[in-house]
Amino acid sequence: MIDFRSDTVTLPTKDMLAYMQQAPIGDDVFGEDPSINALEAKTAAIFGMEAGLFCPSGTMTNQIAIKTHTQSGDEVICDELSHIYQYEGGGIASNSGCSVKLLQGNRGRITAQQVLAAINPDDVHKPISKLVSLENTSNRGGGACYDLQEVAAIQKVAKTHGLSLHLDGARLFNAIVHKKEDPTQYGKLFDSISLCLSKGLGAPVGSVLVGSTPFIKKARRWRKVFGGGMRQAGSLAAAGIYALDHHVQRLSEDHAKALLIKEALLKKDFVEEVFEVETNIVIAKIQGKFNATSLAAELKQKGILVIAMSPTLVRFVLHLDINEEMTHQTIKTIHAL
Ligand SMILES: *Cc1c(COP(=O)(O)O)cnc(C)c1O
């Protein structure tokens, strides 16, 4: 099977496994796991931030960030497609007791003007606007990247009105590689950033939250409360260190393959439209002889797994475990449909 369902399906490479096996480990709740400490420091340094916190999932790093930035009754501003709203089980409400102001952005990206208009006045009727959360790249937006100038404008609006700014950077490295950006630019703009090691970077488990020392100190307390304090988890952190050292620049190979898949799809009359491909996600709108579900079923019969995201949208995600041969096989299969 050629598995395009998600970039989470990758298996650790032989070299990654070897690196994991030799990693020094200890009890991380006592702060004594050298590999976790190294991963947290390394990730923070990449973004020019002070401290990091290793967690089992990106849902946990996002939810801990929201919990740390807010109090019950506050409001979080984000795009309607955001993972924090769509795919984290209502955690904003159940973990943090916050309401959400949803904005209609462009493929998951909101503007400074929209944020400004969404901030509530100081009025007892209104929840207190407390946090703006952005997502880069946007998952539901088909891997769309923010323009850093817009992010800087959003940051200015947030600061002026006393709001914190969080980034769900599950696939931030895809954006950074695509746009050839300097990660410290992100560190300067955001109060906290959540990064996934288990997406395009190819580690089996884990996410890192980065921010200031006092922020991460508070977040570390919430991680314990959320049940995310792990013990000898250093081998998992070592996979993350290996991924940061070896799997970042190669993301551009996934992006190039995504463009090839897009071109193949555009030649078919059952494809009405393919969203602009910037990174490793290809979303096609299906019409005519297939709908999203029947196309996914047809591809499955031919050994290709994709996700039907809605009745009309099909998603292909490129990753470490899809090589050139598999990409060409897929293109041949699409041609023959
Ligand atoms: C995958 C993902 C997450 C975190 O997901 P986990 O499965 O909990 O690690 C967060 N945000 C976005 C945009 C994602 O795609």
Side-chain angles (χ1 to χ4, degrees):
M1 281 289 178
I2 308 176
D3 196 345
F4 291 96
R5 287 172 303 165
S6 173
D7 45 9
T8 56
V9 301
T10 56
L11 298 176
T13 63
K14 240 173 60 192
D15 289 346
M16 180 184 277
L17 279 172
Y19 191 78
M20 290 168 73
Q21 255 172 349
Q22 59 75 52
I25 57 175
D27 189 325
D28 182 50
V29 177
F30 291 147
E32 292 173 4
D33 188 301
S35 299
I36 293 178
N37 292 340
L39 171 68
E40 290 174 346
K42 182 183 179 73
T43 313
I46 288 172
F47 291 91
M49 292 178 105
E50 288 174 353
L53 183 69
F54 181 56
C55 290
S57 72
T59 298
M60 191 180 280
T61 41
N62 279 332
Q63 291 298 320
I64 287 175
I66 294 164
K67 184 78 184 165
T68 308
H69 284 301
T70 62
Q71 293 196 313
S72 173
D74 288 345
E75 187 158 86
V76 179
I77 298 170
C78 64
D79 185 274
E80 62 182 353
L81 302 181
S82 300
H83 194 280
I84 58 163
Y85 175 74
Q86 292 278 355
Y87 301 119
E88 298 185 7
I92 300 173
S94 68
N95 296 321
S96 299
C98 289
S99 61
V100 185
K101 179 97 88 184
L102 291 179
L103 303 181
Q104 237 172 10
N106 170 16
R107 291 175 56 214
R109 295 160 303 184
I110 54 180
T111 65
Q113 219 175 3
Q114 284 180 297
V115 171
L116 180 61
I119 296 172
N120 289 330
D122 184 6
D123 172 340
V124 290
H125 296 89
K126 298 285 191 179
I128 297 169
S129 304
K130 195 65 213 299
L131 176 68
V132 179
S133 183
L134 308 183
E135 187 174 310
N136 197 25
T137 67
S138 165
N139 177 4
R140 279 290 298 214
C145 302
Y146 264 95
D147 178 353
L148 260 177
Q149 280 187 335
E150 194 62 42
V151 176
I154 291 171
Q155 191 261 358
K156 210 169 150 197
V157 168
K159 280 312 101 173
T160 306
H161 293 83
L163 278 71
S164 299
L165 186 61
H166 172 69
L167 176 60
D168 177 353
R171 297 187 180 82
L172 181 56
F173 283 110
N174 292 87
I176 285 171
V177 167
H178 171 63
K179 295 221 164 193
K180 299 187 168 56
E181 289 162 339
D182 172 358
T184 65
Q185 292 174 292
Y186 286 92
K188 285 191 189 104
L189 291 171
F190 287 91
D191 297 301
S192 56
I193 305 177
S194 159
L195 300 141
C196 284
L197 304 165
S198 61
K199 299 276 167 81
L201 296 187
V205 177
S207 290
V208 183
L209 181 65
V210 291
S212 69
T213 302
F215 174 83
I216 292 297
K217 186 171 180 222
K218 270 173 84 181
R220 195 174 293 279
R221 175 174 284 276
W222 284 122
R223 184 184 68 173
K224 193 76 185 81
V225 176
F226 283 20
M230 295 185 285
R231 302 294 177 171
Q232 287 77 14
S235 326
L236 298 173
I241 292 172
Y242 184 89
L244 288 170
D245 284 339
H246 297 95
H247 292 167
V248 173
Q249 286 314 316
R250 66 150 303 285
L251 290 170
S252 60
E253 298 169 26
D254 298 340
H255 303 169
K257 292 189 186 90
L259 282 171
L260 296 176
I261 301 281
K262 173 186 172 173
E263 280 166 30
L265 286 166
L266 278 175
K267 293 199 180 110
K268 307 306 291 188
D269 53 15
F270 60 81
V271 174
E272 184 185 327
E273 172 192 6
V274 180
F275 288 3
E276 186 189 343
V277 171
E278 292 180 73
T279 53
N280 67 327
I281 301 177
V282 186
I283 297 180
K285 193 165 183 190
I286 306 305
Q287 63 178 5
K289 71 171 172 176
F290 291 115
N291 59 38
T293 313
S294 67
L295 178 61
E298 182 72 20
L299 286 168
K300 189 174 178 181
Q301 283 218 325
K302 297 179 159 54
I304 294 166
L305 297 176
V306 298
I307 279 189
M309 298 175 81
S310 79
T312 56
L313 298 179
V314 165
R315 186 183 80 167
F316 293 72
V317 186
L318 278 293
H319 53 74
L320 193 59
D321 286 356
I322 295 199
N323 60 27
E324 239 154 80
E325 195 189 317
M326 291 162 157
T327 307
H328 288 299
Q329 176 65 38
T330 303
I331 289 167
K332 260 187 11 206
T333 304
I334 291 169
H335 279 320
L337 284 176

